[in-house]
């Protein structure tokens, strides 16, 4: 087991060894609350929220609301105007977020037109100014999530040029998606699969910058693969696998934090989530908006398909509540070995 690096003392810093990636429409507050039935310690990220939504959207609760169980929690911002980002960082701190993260990795056309996301890798001076202004506005950590490169800026030297300028402005934590983005011609989805992964580039970045926290992201699917990465870099961020196969999270606390895991089985996690679901239904949320995040929980278990089908067919109906949820759970069986309780030796 890895020794826990205690030099990071902020809640976000202490949790950063393992995080769940920001994912639009996926890492909603309901997903994050569900993830907490499986891991208390992983650092969770919101979906990207643009500065425009925070400053001009209404109500602000819609973009920033979360429940206390979600800590440690980082807000990911999309934007490039230093003043607006600083204002939003201050708002994030006031709302109780543990970290604010700047998105320098999203390749969508829509965000590029507003100079948001991966296109900012071509403007390190803008990112540096933004980070500086955000840090001056808050005392929580300000971090950057970026790619290893964009378009033809795809050499170690290009990444170094970017990191150097942003680190000089005061940023000491970078989470690097180990795959370049093609800003023209590939969809955001293709940009998560088509350009090849290049872990060694991120690992070399860490070797050159022992003073920086370098996290790695992209294509990591097992806790063993995370452990292997942690021998080379400071932290690991997992995206799609943590969403599509949430049971992956069930052993994060014991594996990376030396702490007992909260859920002894998938069913126990699903049961522990009931009070949260009821509270959200009472606030007017729809069951399917919450239960859609659990569709991958019983992957590979007998009845897993019936569980998914029951929720897909009934959870959207008017008045759907815990009865539908419980009926879906009654259709699934969890093999004993899959449910083995995990405790710390
Ligand atoms: C549905 C979806 C939405 C995403 N939204 C965001 C986002 O809002 N901000 C961001 O920085 N990355 C976003 N990403 C990229 C992920 O954070 C992550 O970098 C990428 O999926 C690679 O990691 P993985 O292979 O572990 O999934 C998104 C990915 C997916 C699949």
């Amino acid at each position: 087991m890895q020794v826990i690096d205690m030099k990071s003392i902020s809640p976000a810093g202490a949790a950063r060894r393992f995080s769940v990636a920001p994912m639009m429409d996926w890492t909603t507050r309901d997903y994050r609350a569900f993830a907490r039935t499986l891991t208390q310690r992983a650092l969770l990220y919101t979906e990207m929220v643009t500065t425009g939504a925070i400053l001009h959207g209404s109500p602000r609760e819609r973009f920033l609301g979360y429940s206390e169980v979600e800590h440690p929690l980082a807000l990911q911002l999309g934007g490039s105007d230093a003043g607006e980002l600083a204002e939003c960082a201050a708002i994030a701190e006031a709302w109780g977020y543990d970290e604010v993260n700047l998105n320098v990795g999203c390749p969508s056309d829509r965000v590029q037109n507003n100079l948001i996301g991966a296109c900012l890798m071509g403007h390190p001076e803008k990112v540096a100014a933004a980070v500086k202004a955000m840090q001056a506005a808050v005392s929580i950590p300000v971090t950057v999530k970026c790619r290893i490169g964009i378009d033809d800026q795809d050499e170690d030297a290009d990444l170094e040029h970017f990191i150097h300028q942003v680190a000089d402005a005061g940023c000491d934590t970078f989470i690097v998606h180990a795959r370049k983005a093609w800003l023209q011609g590939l969809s955001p989805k293709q940009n998560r699969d088509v350009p090849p992964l290049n872990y060694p580039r991120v690992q070399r970045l860490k070797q050159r910058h022992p003073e920086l926290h370098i996290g790695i992201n992209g294509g990591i699917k097992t806790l063993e693969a995370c452990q292997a990465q942690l021998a080379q870099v400071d932290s690991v961020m997992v995206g799609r696998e943590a969403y599509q196969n949430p049971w992956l999270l069930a052993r994060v606390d014991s594996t990376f934090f030396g702490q007992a895991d909260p859920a002894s089985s998938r069913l126990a996690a699903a049961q522990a989530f009931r009070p949260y679901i009821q509270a959200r239904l009472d606030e007017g949320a729809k069951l399917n908006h919450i239960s859609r995040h659990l569709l991958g929980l019983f992957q590979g278990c007998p009845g897993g398909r019936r569980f998914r089908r029951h929720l897909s067919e009934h959870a959207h109906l008017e008045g759907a509540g815990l009865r539908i949820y419980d009926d879906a759970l009654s259709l699934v069986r969890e093999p004993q070995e899959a449910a083995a309780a995990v405790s710390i030796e």
Side-chain angles (χ1 to χ4, degrees):
M1 181 169 302
Q2 297 278 322
V3 176
I4 297 165
D5 176 5
M6 294 309 288
K7 73 178 187 279
S8 312
I9 46 164
S10 68
R16 197 173 286 116
R17 287 185 75 70
F18 181 97
S19 64
V20 178
M23 289 177 282
M24 291 295 280
D25 209 35
W26 287 15
T27 51
T28 67
R29 59 181 296 178
D30 296 323
Y31 168 79
R32 299 183 315 249
F34 169 60
R36 283 286 173 244
T37 66
L38 298 165
T39 168
Q40 301 279 307
R41 298 293 304 270
L43 176 60
L44 302 180
Y45 282 78
T46 65
E47 311 162 88
M48 179 184 80
V49 187
T50 63
T51 50
I54 294 176
L55 297 176
H56 311 298
S58 164
R60 212 167 252 176
E61 168 76 20
R62 186 173 140 218
F63 303 102
L64 295 179
Y66 66 91
S67 51
E68 285 303 310
V69 295
E70 294 172 46
H71 289 294
L73 179 62
L75 176 71
Q76 189 187 57
L77 291 176
S80 57
D81 180 277
E84 289 177 4
L85 283 164
E87 201 178 336
C88 290
I91 293 169
E93 182 169 54
W95 276 67
Y97 283 93
D98 301 300
E99 169 185 324
V100 59
N101 174 267
L102 181 61
N103 183 335
V104 188
C106 179
S108 123
D109 279 353
R110 205 155 41 97
V111 301
Q112 278 181 60
N113 295 337
N114 294 316
L115 211 58
I116 294 175
C119 58
L120 284 172
M121 290 204 74
H123 302 274
E125 71 298 337
K126 271 199 172 294
V127 179
V131 158
K132 198 168 187 170
M134 290 160 83
Q135 283 191 328
V138 297
S139 54
I140 52 175
V142 175
T143 65
V144 165
K145 178 170 180 277
C146 63
R147 296 270 183 154
I148 53 169
I150 49 166
D151 298 335
D152 52 3
Q153 295 171 33
D154 186 27
E155 300 289 337
D156 279 27
D158 298 310
L159 179 60
E160 181 60 35
H161 177 69
F162 173 81
I163 297 285
H164 183 81
Q165 286 201 44
V166 181
D168 248 16
C171 183
D172 64 2
T173 302
F174 296 85
I175 299 107
V176 188
H177 183 174
R179 182 184 258 130
K180 70 180 275 190
W182 279 112
L183 297 183
Q184 306 295 331
L186 288 189
S187 70
K189 186 167 186 310
Q190 288 172 318
N191 260 314
R192 292 194 285 265
D193 287 314
V194 174
L197 286 162
N198 185 343
Y199 295 139
R201 183 174 299 163
V202 184
Q203 294 160 354
R204 286 193 296 273
L205 180 69
K206 174 62 201 173
Q207 284 158 16
R208 278 197 306 275
H209 291 282
E211 78 287 4
L212 298 178
H213 179 112
I214 303 294
I216 198 162
N217 165 246
I220 300 168
K221 295 196 161 136
T222 63
L223 298 193
E224 291 70 32
C226 294
Q227 293 272 37
Q229 289 290 354
L230 285 173
Q232 311 260 4
V233 296
D234 298 301
S235 65
V236 179
M237 173 184 269
V238 177
R240 287 164 288 187
E241 193 65 17
Y243 187 84
Q244 289 160 345
N245 172 26
W247 186 241
L248 173 84
L249 299 176
R251 285 168 197 184
V252 162
D253 292 0
S254 56
T255 306
F256 301 112
F257 300 99
Q259 189 171 304
D261 298 310
S264 57
S265 68
R266 294 167 171 85
L267 276 168
Q271 292 291 349
F273 197 44
R274 289 178 89 258
Y276 175 89
I277 296 179
Q278 188 58 58
R280 291 284 285 146
L281 293 173
D282 293 344
E283 286 169 17
K286 295 256 189 226
L287 180 64
N288 61 327
H289 291 171
I290 307 168
S291 61
R292 71 187 171 99
H293 302 297
L294 281 80
L295 293 179
L297 181 63
F298 293 100
Q299 212 184 88
C301 295
R305 197 171 297 168
R306 279 184 295 164
F307 167 79
R308 287 193 294 277
R309 192 183 318 130
H310 194 82
L311 287 177
S312 304
E313 287 174 359
H314 297 94
H316 64 283
L317 300 175
E318 197 55 41
L322 278 180
R323 172 89 184 270
I324 301 283
Y325 182 70
D326 291 340
D327 286 348
L329 288 176
S330 73
L331 297 170
V332 76
R333 292 278 163 276
E334 190 171 8
Q336 273 313 302
E337 65 278 16
V342 178
S343 59
I344 300 301
E345 273 114 64

